[in-house]
Amino acid sequence: MEEIPKTNFSLKDVVSISDFKREDIEAVLNVAECMEKLPKERKSSLLKGKIVASLFFEPSTRTRLSFETAIQNLGAGVIGFADAKVSSVKKGETLSDTIRVVSGYADIIVMRHYIEGAARLASEVSSKPIINAGDGANQHPTQTLLDLYTIKKAFGKIDGLTIGLLGDLKYGRTVHSLAQALSLFDKIKLAFISPEELKMPEHIKEHIKGIKYEEFTELAAVLPELDVLYVTRIQRERFADPAEYEKVRGKYIVNKESLKGAKECLKIMHPLPRVNELSPELDQTKYALYFEQARNGVPVREALLYLLKDVRKW
Ligand code: NCD
């Protein structure tokens, strides 16, 4: 019978990738791999009797639905909302009060919020683990874990790869978390490809300064070196000035033409949703990894829920 690996996973909350050590990441990836092999009946007993809250103050499709799938696969119950308009937030309740109350009902809280730092604040007032499912333009650690899982499955390793992050590196939380996580691996080279206005923030570059990275404004300048091209959408909703968005929208369109000169083994990833930056003509090519990436959200989130299921912070 398949054994779930024992790990030294050290976190009580999953708020930011900057809290992870490499061995925490490896713990999640190893348990996720096991989750894919466990028989359904065995899996459905792992969180039996537990309640997981799913609080989404911002829109979501993949993250919320893969979490809720993972929760149900593990046999837990789920409570929560997909739209804060139906919660007491509408009446003016503070986030701390909402979280304090929900932590009295649930064993784990998964939350997405539009304010940077909201998950950290929640983790300070919740006696139960908080899993950050995205906080504004800041962090999206669970997306990163499934991204790493996807890379490892495709290449058999993460060390030594050259990875291009393309698009909105300023407001895209997925690329902030991913760059930080990749900096924990060996011999990684990163290429940040973005318009001048949407470059990777200084604090992230400061955080990863131990690894090799370079910045580009054109994909063609670095494409032949890449093993992975991680494409992101321009985060329209985060622009204070719509005219600024208009200046950069449509700047990159990745299609068959723009991939001329790519390595045979190149894989294209995208956290989705896509707008126009990734052409559907690539969906049936050997490059496309993004739908598999979205599917991997389920075992990775199962692993996280499993690793946090018995944590009590005080
Ligand atoms: C991302 C997000 O919410 O940050 N989506 C996701 O979780 N898969 C990416 C995005 O919205 O562009």
Side-chain angles (χ1 to χ4, degrees):
M1 188 154 74
E2 191 69 39
E3 274 311 312
I4 304 173
K6 296 256 173 299
T7 74
N8 293 324
F9 188 70
S10 66
L11 303 177
K12 291 186 183 302
D13 299 283
V14 173
V15 167
S16 167
I17 281 288
S18 58
D19 300 330
F20 277 71
K21 299 194 287 285
R22 179 171 172 156
E23 66 170 347
D24 295 314
I25 292 179
E26 277 164 356
V28 177
L29 305 192
N30 292 340
V31 174
E33 199 183 335
C34 175
M35 288 295 170
E36 292 212 71
K37 297 185 204 134
L38 278 188
K40 231 177 151 66
E41 315 72 66
R42 170 96 193 283
K43 209 149 83 171
S44 66
S45 66
L46 294 175
L47 259 75
K48 218 171 169 177
K50 305 268 184 197
I51 301 279
V52 180
S54 161
L55 311 182
F56 278 73
F57 297 86
E58 226 194 14
S60 172
T61 300
R62 274 149 295 274
T63 305
R64 186 173 66 82
L65 296 182
S66 63
F67 258 118
E68 295 187 6
T69 303
I71 294 165
Q72 299 201 32
N73 284 348
L74 297 176
V78 56
I79 58 170
F81 47 80
D83 180 350
K85 284 201 289 295
V86 301
S87 77
S88 283
V89 170
K90 184 91 178 128
K91 303 182 195 164
E93 184 168 58
T94 63
L95 178 65
S96 325
D97 280 0
T98 304
I99 297 295
R100 238 181 229 130
V101 169
V102 175
S103 67
Y105 305 152
D107 298 284
I108 300 177
I109 299 176
V110 177
M111 65 173 276
R112 169 171 286 189
H113 203 280
Y114 48 87
I115 295 176
E116 283 95 58
R120 180 74 68 197
L121 170 77
S123 73
E124 284 160 9
V125 298
S126 171
S127 57
K128 309 287 176 53
I130 296 288
I131 302 181
N132 181 7
D135 61 327
N138 186 32
Q139 282 275 319
H140 196 344
T142 70
Q143 177 70 41
T144 289
L145 292 164
L146 78 89
D147 295 341
L148 296 173
Y149 184 70
T150 304
I151 294 172
K152 194 168 165 207
K153 249 171 111 172
F155 290 87
K157 61 170 191 176
I158 298 171
D159 293 324
L161 296 177
T162 299
I163 299 179
L165 308 182
L166 174 135
D168 187 347
L169 307 187
K170 178 177 179 186
Y171 297 116
R173 54 195 174 196
T174 62
V175 283
H176 300 162
S177 298
L178 184 56
Q180 286 184 328
L182 288 169
S183 75
L184 299 173
F185 289 82
D186 297 331
K187 300 200 177 74
I188 292 286
K189 280 199 234 153
L190 295 183
F192 298 148
I193 309 146
S194 75
E196 264 318 307
E197 300 87 331
L198 298 178
K199 283 167 80 172
M200 187 61 88
E202 287 304 319
H203 74 275
I204 303 285
K205 289 193 272 188
E206 180 60 27
H207 185 101
I208 64 161
K209 63 175 186 254
I211 63 158
K212 285 201 178 125
Y213 71 84
E214 252 188 282
E215 297 181 284
F216 301 88
T217 53
E218 299 305 325
L219 171 60
V222 65
L223 178 70
E225 291 175 46
L226 302 180
D227 299 304
V228 175
L229 174 61
Y230 191 99
V231 183
T232 63
R233 129 188 114 83
I234 310 280
Q235 307 276 300
R236 178 185 200 154
E237 68 278 25
R238 312 235 185 262
F239 282 69
D241 178 358
E244 291 300 309
Y245 172 73
E246 287 306 320
K247 273 199 229 157
V248 286
R249 93 181 192 156
K251 159 91 179 131
Y252 302 108
I253 298 194
V254 178
N255 54 24
K256 284 188 180 162
E257 179 64 29
S258 59
L259 290 184
K260 288 204 172 120
K263 279 189 187 173
E264 276 295 300
C265 68
L266 175 77
K267 292 292 175 217
I268 300 201
M269 298 176 66
H270 192 307
L272 303 175
R274 61 180 155 187
V275 185
N276 60 355
E277 66 285 349
L278 181 56
S279 169
E281 72 179 21
L282 293 174
D283 294 359
Q284 303 307 327
T285 67
K286 61 179 188 279
Y287 303 120
L289 199 55
Y290 31 94
F291 288 114
E292 186 184 329
Q293 180 186 358
R295 262 197 310 278
N296 288 335
V298 175
V300 169
R301 291 178 167 124
E302 285 170 354
L304 277 172
L305 294 164
Y306 173 78
L307 290 167
L308 292 168
K309 71 184 168 56
D310 297 317
V311 169
R312 291 289 171 271
K313 297 192 303 186
W314 57 79

